[in-house]
Amino acid sequence: MLIDTYGRVATDLRVSLTDKCNLRCTYCMPEEGLQWLSKPDLLTDDEIVRLIGIAVTRLGITEVRFTGGEPLLRPGLVGIVERAAALAPRPRMSLTTNGIGLRRTAAALKAAGLDRVNVSLDTLRPEVFKTLTRRDRHHDVVAGLEAAHDAGLTPVKVNTVLMPGLNEDEAPDLLAWAVAHDYELRFIEQMPLDAQHGWKREGMVTAGDILDSLRTRFTLTEEGAGERGSAPAERWLVDGGPHRVGVIASVTRPFCAACDRTRLTADGQIRTCLFATEETDLRAALRSEAPDEEIARIWRLAMWGKKAGSGLDDPSFLQPERPMSAIGG
């Protein structure tokens, strides 16, 4: 079991498979990209599968989410999913992706054992997408979403970040589109995850702003805390259901008290929080041939020291040094 001093138990493992990405989203990284991790620093496929196995069989992990960077850029992704699906007990598995490569991989991922996907899409306007991501790939993301739905990677969730002056007016249109295509839309408050440290709390589109905008066109009925559990998204029924919309208010309505996550970076570090400034090295233990129980002990100790909150609700919050692409969303 991965328990901390506040009594929270981690059952959800986020696994970053690579720090690389084929987009250059303005809220994540500079146009020229970043200094990528060298291949020797990255965990191998075997090392990733071994750590997932330790987490599932020894530490109580029941959910595994593959992230990046962009996880579809990992050559061994399908094999990693297939091997993780063979574990007993079998974890539920999902993938967070920008969707560009989903059209060609969705069916293979489903066959390997992946349960569902989260796809990032911030706009319905191709020209705004190009401005936000610095790439002209909007059509590829839309096609990837369709392929994921057709492959049965459901519910297909769409993650959207609204940015002032760019797409903040699109919330109702995005929700209408998601309902029409049977996707579950989740708006995420912009978080301080950019390598340029350009994030500012002032002027950000808040959860309150998003809900006010949606209510100009839809009737929203809150599901309530009982339905939410430890999920980061507050959810509302849209016009009485069955469709839902979620809002992840990491900045204005932190949900740290119910957090059940532990994070493994692409280079084998354990992070207790997306915004943690400390890491615990599992790669060194792996490569020194430490037994599974020793690795599990190191992992338990790391999680025991998890802090009460992310600090995002503190106006003096300092951004973490590592960008999101190196940590995993």
Side-chain angles (χ1 to χ4, degrees):
M1 181 181 294
L2 292 172
I3 190 169
D4 64 32
T5 54
Y6 298 92
R8 296 169 297 192
V9 178
T11 57
D12 185 334
L13 170 61
R14 303 299 169 98
V15 181
S16 175
L17 297 178
T18 178
D19 58 332
K20 294 179 180 177
C21 188
N22 42 12
L23 297 180
R24 296 292 181 269
C25 296
T26 56
Y27 52 78
C28 182
M29 69 174 72
E31 186 170 4
E32 65 275 13
L34 299 167
Q35 183 68 43
W36 308 121
L37 293 167
S38 63
K39 189 172 181 178
D41 290 335
L42 291 169
L43 293 177
T44 66
D45 293 0
D46 287 345
E47 288 171 337
I48 290 170
V49 172
R50 183 183 173 196
L51 288 176
I52 293 173
I54 291 170
V56 169
T57 63
R58 294 175 179 265
L59 297 173
I61 291 297
T62 58
E63 303 265 346
V64 176
R65 172 84 61 86
F66 297 105
T67 70
E70 173 45 52
L72 295 182
L73 295 179
R74 178 87 185 201
L77 171 61
V78 172
I80 291 170
V81 171
E82 188 171 35
R83 292 167 68 185
L87 292 170
R90 180 197 185 282
R92 282 193 55 80
M93 292 182 294
S94 58
L95 178 84
T96 295
T97 171
N98 62 30
I100 288 176
L102 263 182
R103 179 167 50 180
R104 67 176 183 274
T105 57
L109 287 167
K110 179 64 177 180
L114 193 71
D115 294 299
R116 63 171 191 83
V117 293
N118 285 32
V119 180
S120 298
L121 181 64
D122 299 324
T123 178
L124 298 176
R125 306 168 189 160
E127 68 279 8
V128 176
F129 182 92
K130 188 174 181 179
T131 298
L132 279 168
T133 67
R134 305 185 180 102
R135 298 290 187 270
D136 188 12
R137 305 296 298 273
H138 187 269
H139 58 288
D140 291 315
V141 180
V142 172
L145 280 160
E146 293 173 355
H149 190 275
D150 291 346
L153 292 170
T154 54
V156 175
K157 296 185 179 181
V158 178
N159 294 342
T160 296
V161 177
L162 297 181
M163 306 279 287
L166 284 172
N167 62 341
E168 62 183 321
D169 61 329
E170 288 195 65
D173 290 340
L174 281 159
L175 182 52
W177 167 82
V179 167
H181 289 83
D182 196 29
Y183 305 146
E184 184 174 323
L185 183 62
R186 306 195 314 171
F187 292 97
I188 304 175
E189 287 184 335
Q190 184 192 4
M191 294 178 284
L193 294 168
D194 57 314
Q196 315 90 287
H197 291 191
W199 178 83
K200 290 182 174 57
R201 185 183 299 267
E202 301 79 17
M204 65 171 284
V205 182
T206 67
D209 297 331
I210 294 165
L211 292 169
D212 287 345
S213 179
L214 293 176
R215 286 182 174 123
T216 63
R217 195 182 305 181
F218 302 95
T219 299
L220 303 181
T221 306
E222 190 170 5
E223 276 196 331
E227 292 288 337
R228 181 181 183 182
S230 60
E234 298 176 74
R235 298 199 308 177
W236 285 260
L237 293 173
V238 179
D239 292 339
H243 295 285
R244 294 169 171 80
V245 63
V247 178
I248 299 177
S250 302
V251 178
T252 61
R253 304 179 187 177
F255 39 84
C256 301
C259 181
D260 64 349
R261 299 179 184 180
T262 182
R263 297 177 181 274
L264 176 65
T265 69
D267 55 350
Q269 310 300 305
I270 289 298
R271 293 178 72 96
T272 59
C273 173
L274 187 59
F275 301 98
T277 55
E278 305 87 13
E279 297 178 332
T280 299
D281 187 7
L282 292 186
R283 186 185 63 196
L286 279 172
R287 296 182 180 177
S288 65
E289 300 183 359
D292 287 359
E293 186 48 50
E294 174 60 13
I295 292 171
R297 185 193 67 80
I298 296 170
W299 205 329
R300 289 189 193 98
L301 187 61
M303 293 305 295
W304 182 251
K306 184 173 182 173
K307 293 182 179 179
S310 66
L312 279 178
D313 53 344
D314 182 351
S316 65
F317 174 81
L318 297 176
Q319 292 161 283
E321 289 303 311
R322 298 186 77 184
M324 181 169 63
S325 63
I327 300 167

